[in-house]
Amino acid sequence: MSIFQIDGKNFIFNGEPIQIISGAMHYFRVVPEYWKDRLLKLKACGLNTVEAYVPWNLHEPKPGQFYFEGLEDIVRFIKTAGELGLHVIVRPGPYICAEWEFGGFPPWLLQDSDIRLRCYDVSYLEKVDRYFDALLSRLKPLQCTNGGPIIAMQVENEYGSYGNDKKYLNYLKEGMIRRGIDVLLFTSDGPTDEMLQAGTLPDVFKTVNFGSRPEEGFGKLLEYQADQPLMCMEFWNGWFDHWGAPHHTRDADDAADALDQMLQAGASVNFYMFHGGTSFGFMNGANYNEGLAPTVNSYDYDAAISESGDLTDKYYTYQKVISKYAEIDDGILPPPIPKKAYGKVSLDQHAGLFESLDQLSEPIQRTCPEPMEKLGQNYGYILYRNQVSGPRKENSLLIQDLHDRALVFLDGEFQGIVERDQKELLKLDIPNETAQLDILVENLGRINYGRRLKDYKGITEGVYLGTHFLFDWTIFPLPMEDLSGLSFRNSETNNCPGFFRGTLDIDTPADTFLRTDGWKKGIAFINGFNLGRYWEIGPTKTMYIPAPLLKAGKNEIVIFEMEGADNLTVEFVDKPDLG
């Protein structure tokens, strides 16, 4: 049993003052085989603590069905950190932001149209309670008070950026205590009056989040908490990327200077991020400012440890600063993980999407188009089909409140793309008495931050063609969870949307990166594992493939391409291209 507590302006661990130097690493963004490697690298830089969010949507993908194995084995991750001599800070949500799909919320919450998120709503809190029952019972034995490495846990997450429901915050706090959480509880918010007033509780330790000007950030915190330790819970030393926008980087010396100022002032700090990892599959989130801005799958974050585990210039710059305040043990660094360029692979087998619907989906009949969540679908794509009358020319097609991006077809012929918030309407000519209208909608990632958090996906209102709404829809949910039923044929066609398959034959698995030059937009699978999205607009041009996803011998690579390819090859290279 150990005690981590506050004594005046100091943190105390087992009777001795301690300055927390922590780094964020998300177990769910790193394959489990690499957890130890990344944690050792974190510790070798001089850090004594690792911090991690907990994504509710991964642990309860369906109501009442909990998963805590493999990538979701948070207990193993925490125990591994403890075995390496690291303290652990846990941020269990229920909301985490983290540029993660829906901020960590499971999409099935939206089956209830009346639910109110992140407030004292009984329907919402009933589901939070079920999640906390499952999660906190696993974390309770891992607290330092029970001999484990967890020294602190967060109440909600940056709540002052969203709401001011103190009854809700207190309910979460009391729920954690009632379930046996007895380590230090804290909140984290931006260093502004507005956020600190709304997002904190009077009897809960307060921390602040910022990327620069530590004196200013801590100065505001001191106005609300003058007699306790200073801590930056999120030191933003890098940033994340959106599709179609430049890749973000930050000068290492600039970030190190801010770090030095904090440590010299005696403050504790948590790097956000120290190792970012990858948002595999459909787990990227999105922001909404003037329009939807989905986040790329790479969560490299320009962090000290790169997406693929390499030590960057920032790592060594930070290490030099930290060495002034803590002991450094370079001897524990693991050897670099090898990376290989396996070359080009031809994807010469094809299965068309429309021809494969029977293998991928059970059709659902609805009078009106329904969003994914109302049909029990969490992620992926959804196809809406309607029989429209003709002949008629230049009918305007309005997909009302589209979330997020649609490809439109008439009798299988591509007509155009419609995007969320698009003002210009698509014009359709129907030359015959009837035509089959297909609208393939992609969920680009649910919004993870801000007031538009309640983000249904698919067609959320209706479809207006010419002078009237269309009714009587056949809907095909396409979560892309299992492609094993697809029937591929040897073909050199680039007919899209469709699936393209090839084989990578290797002797020894090593980390590698998939380049999709010449392909426009889609998702990629290796041995059935969803790597995530590619999109020709960048900035990301490669997809990281950790060696544990590969095997000696034949490896199946499948691409789902929506719009068409200039060539039917992909390339496995040994270096990332993040833009």
Side-chain angles (χ1 to χ4, degrees), residues 54-158:
V54 184
W56 182 4
N57 60 348
L58 283 194
H59 291 293
E60 193 182 4
K62 295 182 179 179
Q65 294 184 14
F66 291 96
Y67 291 88
F68 290 95
E69 299 175 354
L71 197 70
E72 291 87 30
D73 194 347
I74 184 174
V75 170
R76 177 185 162 195
F77 175 77
I78 292 171
K79 285 183 175 179
T80 301
E83 289 164 1
L84 298 178
L86 289 166
H87 304 300
V88 177
I89 295 172
V90 179
R91 305 167 82 182
Y95 164 82
I96 64 171
C97 185
E99 291 69 59
W100 190 254
E101 221 276 347
F102 201 9
F105 282 136
W108 49 258
L109 287 173
L110 300 180
Q111 290 176 2
D112 177 2
S113 301
D114 296 327
I115 199 167
R116 296 292 184 266
L117 304 174
R118 303 185 73 186
C119 66
Y120 197 91
D121 176 83
V122 174
S123 177
Y124 164 65
L125 290 176
E126 285 175 350
K127 298 165 181 64
V128 172
D129 281 336
R130 184 177 64 208
Y131 164 59
F132 270 13
D133 284 344
L135 174 65
L136 299 183
S137 63
R138 289 169 167 84
L139 300 185
K140 177 181 175 181
L142 301 174
Q143 298 177 105
C144 64
T145 49
N146 292 320
I150 298 176
I151 58 171
M153 292 180 64
Q154 181 174 268
V155 179
E156 238 272 359
N157 181 59
E158 293 185 310

Side-chain angles (χ1 to χ4, degrees), residues 1 6 151 237 346 390 448-449 538:
M1 174 179 174
I6 292 173
I151 58 171
N237 62 115
S346 176
N448 57 259
Y449 179 84

Side-chain angles (χ1 to χ4, degrees), residues 444-460:
L444 288 171
R446 289 181 184 83
I447 294 167
N448 57 259
Y449 179 84
R451 61 186 177 86
R452 296 177 183 264
L453 198 60
K454 202 171 178 182
D455 187 20
Y456 286 89
K457 293 302 184 183
I459 298 177
T460 65

